[in-house]
Amino acid sequence: MATVRRPGSYVCGIDAAMDVIGGKWKVLILWALNERPCRFGELRRNLPGITEKVLASHLRELEEDGIVHREAYDEVPPRVEYSLTALGVSLNAALAPLGAWGRENILGGAYAHASARETAAPTAT
Amino acid sequence: MATVRRPGSYVCGIDAAMDVIGGKWKVLILWALNERPCRFGELRRNLPGITEKVLASHLRELEEDGIVHREAYDEVPPRVEYSLTALGVSLNAALAPLGAWGRENILGGAYAHASARETAAPTAT
DNA sequence: CCGCATCCCGGGGGATACTG
DNA sequence: CAGTATCCCCCGGGATGCGG
């Protein structure tokens, strides 16, 4: 997933954006980071089922795309904090209507029972 | 891609929505259908690079998800028209901010030259 | 605690050919 | 024209293990 590096290959803004958030866990990471900056392990705990490799690679891609900021502290024990950049915040805002749509049309109604887990997420859309 | 049939597995509305639009060409199909209903071949011509198999399977999934409506006419030569359902229209609306974001932050600026192709798409976000 | 390296697997999706 | 049927390949991403 080379993400955004395909100048000229996009036919509209949406598929360009899809390329940025195209990873299986990308939007969930954005989601988790939306409320507050997180450390690596903290993030991992907030995303049940994700593996370290995938989390690390997704974070790197998001960082390359200017969506998340990575702040490493040279301490012992090592500490790294991830947070959203201004661009990341704006992306999240742009994602909000889509999240609302999913809630309304997929989670809502027949699948409403899933909403219980939803409270574990940050602010919710 | 069994799409939406994962009740309880979604942690928030966004990943539920991502599941619906998770195919490589899904958003482009929605995009093309947004303006006017299209026949199969017409759609294929509007999506340079897509193969018939993939277009057919994506259309079927979108139909199963209640996003597109398929109208088959028993004529000769055969004719099938695809169009967005009300749900599809609302999904497209929810996608609009994301498209605007992509235009602003990816196509805009360094990649602005790509915008020429964009005029070929329906209304544009 | 943070994160990279390696191995491996499944399935999404491309190419091609065929049918109603 | 509107698909279906196969074959095949690539790579996203899961598991595991090591290094700073």
Side-chain angles (χ1 to χ4, degrees):
Chain A
M1 187 181 311
T3 48
V4 184
R5 290 129 206 83
R6 291 163 30 192
S9 69
Y10 299 119
V11 75
C12 75
I14 290 185
D15 61 335
M18 287 298 294
D19 203 7
V20 174
I21 59 172
K24 187 179 181 185
W25 300 86
K26 292 274 183 75
V27 295
L28 264 7
I29 293 175
L30 284 226
W31 199 253
L33 250 28
N34 191 34
E35 185 69 347
R36 64 188 179 305
C38 277
R39 305 182 52 176
F40 186 91
E42 198 176 352
L43 221 34
R44 182 163 52 107
R45 263 169 270 122
N46 286 158
L47 302 170
I50 197 173
T51 62
E52 293 170 339
K53 170 198 164 187
V54 171
L55 177 55
S57 69
H58 278 187
L59 283 170
R60 218 177 311 117
E61 290 172 6
L62 289 170
E63 191 190 357
E64 285 168 14
D65 291 336
I67 304 298
V68 318
H69 172 68
R70 181 199 148 105
E71 186 75 36
Y73 300 90
D74 253 32
E75 308 175 348
V76 41
R79 186 161 69 94
V80 181
E81 283 238 333
Y82 294 92
S83 58
L84 291 185
T85 63
L87 187 60
V89 172
S90 70
L91 173 56
N92 233 313
L95 243 20
L98 187 60
W101 182 90
R103 265 158 88 92
E104 286 280 318
N105 300 287
I106 304 179
L107 300 183
Y111 302 120
H113 57 283
S115 62
R117 304 183 47 196
E118 214 162 342
T119 60
T123 23
T125 306
Chain B
M1 187 179 310
T3 48
V4 184
R5 291 129 206 86
R6 290 162 32 192
S9 70
Y10 299 120
V11 74
C12 73
I14 291 185
D15 60 335
M18 287 298 294
D19 201 8
V20 174
I21 59 173
K24 189 180 182 184
W25 301 86
K26 293 271 183 78
V27 296
L28 264 9
I29 294 174
L30 285 223
W31 199 252
L33 250 26
N34 192 34
E35 186 67 350
R36 63 188 179 305
C38 277
R39 304 181 51 175
F40 187 91
E42 197 176 352
L43 220 35
R44 183 163 51 108
R45 264 171 268 121
N46 287 157
L47 301 170
I50 198 173
T51 61
E52 294 168 339
K53 169 197 163 188
V54 172
L55 177 55
S57 70
H58 279 186
L59 282 170
R60 219 174 311 118
E61 289 172 6
L62 288 170
E63 191 190 357
E64 284 169 14
D65 291 336
I67 304 298
V68 317
H69 172 69
R70 180 201 147 104
E71 187 74 38
Y73 301 88
D74 253 32
E75 307 174 349
V76 44
R79 186 163 67 94
V80 181
E81 283 237 333
Y82 293 92
S83 57
L84 291 185
T85 62
L87 186 60
V89 172
S90 70
L91 173 55
N92 234 313
L95 244 19
L98 188 60
W101 182 91
R103 264 156 89 91
E104 287 279 318
N105 300 287
I106 303 180
L107 300 183
Y111 303 120
H113 58 282
S115 62
R117 304 183 49 196
E118 212 161 346
T119 60
T123 22
T125 306

